Amino acid sequence: MENFTPTGCCPIRDILSRLGDKWSMLVLLTLNANGVMRFSEIHRTLGDISHRMLTVTLRMLETDGMVSREVYAEVPPRVEYRLTERGRSLLPHIFGLVEWAETNKEAILSGRAKG
């Protein structure tokens, strides 16, 4: 039997906890839709994310190799974010989840309203 308890290193739990937060997938989808973006552009696109949470999310995605960050030596400094190959390889799976959510949204919301 496969063990999914929190003891030891469970790669499924680790990866899903990182990607399953409120913002990571939205940041990846935003970068996919818009290409190379600056921090303020991402923030404007998402709207209701705080600066701090966007910073934390981008750092996590960069650490995991999903997003690259490039700093240009200008005054003021310019920083651009883009998807990496690893980030792009995740997109078909995110699109599948988005499609599933759209297909099942009404039934799920109806069930929630009942109970």
Side-chain angles (χ1 to χ4, degrees), residues 9-91:
C9 179
C10 176
I12 296 167
R13 183 181 304 222
D14 180 54
I15 301 291
L16 291 180
S17 70
R18 291 291 282 258
L19 295 174
D21 66 17
K22 184 175 180 178
W23 298 107
S24 293
M25 285 195 215
L26 291 174
V27 169
L28 293 171
L29 289 170
T30 297
L31 287 171
N32 180 63
N34 297 296
V36 177
M37 298 179 77
R38 296 176 74 168
F39 183 93
S40 60
E41 294 169 329
I42 299 169
H43 187 261
R44 245 189 331 270
T45 302
L46 295 175
D48 57 344
I49 187 172
S50 70
H51 280 86
R52 183 186 183 294
M53 184 52 61
L54 180 55
T55 299
V56 168
T57 301
L58 286 167
R59 283 183 186 155
M60 280 189 339
L61 291 171
E62 184 182 7
T63 299
D64 288 349
M66 306 285 182
V67 170
S68 69
R69 176 180 184 266
E70 190 166 352
V71 180
Y72 295 90
E74 299 174 356
V75 178
R78 178 170 50 114
V79 180
E80 293 180 340
Y81 297 89
R82 65 177 45 89
L83 289 177
T84 62
E85 188 58 39
R86 182 176 300 145
R88 283 189 293 278
S89 73
L90 180 60
L91 289 171

